[in-house]
Amino acid sequence: MLMSIRAAHLPCMARLMAPSISSVRARMTSRAVGNLLPAKCRQLSSSSETLGGAHPEWATSLSQAVRRGTTHLRLRESEELICGEPCCAAFGKRCLCRLSMFLERLSHIKHLDLSKCELDRLPEVWRMPQLETLDVSDNLLDDLPVELASAAKLRAVRAVGNPLTKGVSPQLQALVVEEIK
């Protein structure tokens, strides 16, 4: 009797399975089409042309930058930089504790945006071997560390909107720009 019930339900089961098979086909087709799009996006991102000045591959968190291996990291006004270390003098404010812990794993970053993070000093970004541009605009920096000049590939530092009461050292003047292009 159990065999006859199963055999009797086979046509019903086939009808139930049919929509799922067609949906699998649709997903497979959309994946095939989707595979073409990232290649085009990669081609666009590798060119100097971007839409609206925004780079399509900007990571917006430290873990995302590490996970994706992206070359662009934007931490502008990031809540992720709010210090959770009770021993730190900046506890509850933005500081460098977390960013400093991630620096070794961010060696692939070429473009780093730390603007509007209320930073009063910079992490050791000059240790990032691939870093080309650094945006630290609209922070609380009194000066820019001379060590920035030792960053091999660094070609531009945007620091507008900082007090820079100690000025910019002669070694860094060629790097400091108003806009990063």
Side-chain angles (χ1 to χ4, degrees):
M1 177 94 183
L2 188 57
M3 290 288 271
S4 62
I5 292 173
R6 283 187 184 163
H9 285 93
L10 282 176
C12 295
M13 290 177 67
R15 278 195 307 271
L16 289 173
M17 292 291 288
S20 65
I21 291 171
S22 63
S23 67
V24 167
R25 275 194 201 125
R27 276 184 271 154
M28 287 173 61
T29 305
S30 69
R31 277 192 197 129
V33 171
N35 286 339
L36 297 175
L37 294 176
K40 181 66 179 167
C41 290
R42 281 193 300 275
Q43 182 181 8
L44 176 63
S45 71
S46 67
S47 73
S48 60
E49 186 177 293
T50 56
L51 302 174
H55 197 282
E57 295 185 19
W58 283 97
T60 55
S61 75
L62 295 166
S63 58
Q64 188 181 61
V66 171
R67 188 175 59 249
R68 285 186 189 171
T70 183
T71 58
H72 293 64
L73 176 57
R74 175 170 286 140
L75 295 175
R76 179 182 300 157
E77 297 182 280
S78 178
E79 298 296 316
E80 189 174 19
L81 296 180
I82 293 178
C83 187
E85 293 294 322
C87 300
C88 181
F91 179 70
K93 300 176 191 169
R94 288 188 182 100
C95 83
L96 304 176
C97 291
R98 186 162 176 156
L99 180 57
S100 295
M101 288 189 291
F102 270 82
L103 276 182
E104 284 183 24
R105 295 188 292 177
L106 297 173
S107 61
H108 57 279
I109 297 294
K110 292 183 179 184
H111 308 282
L112 179 59
D113 183 347
L114 294 173
S115 61
K116 299 182 181 181
C117 287
E118 302 169 359
L119 300 176
D120 58 1
R121 58 189 166 84
L122 289 180
E124 296 181 355
V125 293
W126 50 89
R127 295 178 142 197
M128 299 171 76
Q130 302 300 317
L131 189 64
E132 295 176 12
T133 64
L134 175 64
D135 188 345
V136 291
S137 57
D138 301 312
N139 277 295
L140 306 171
L141 301 172
D142 287 330
D143 66 343
L144 296 173
V146 175
E147 291 87 353
L148 285 174
S150 68
K153 295 188 178 183
L154 189 62
R155 61 178 169 76
V157 176
R158 183 170 185 258
V160 297
N162 283 287
L164 295 178
T165 55
K166 297 178 183 174
V168 176
S169 70
Q171 298 96 319
L172 296 175
Q173 287 186 358
L175 291 175
V176 178
V177 297
E178 287 194 29
E179 283 297 320
I180 294 177
K181 295 175 179 146

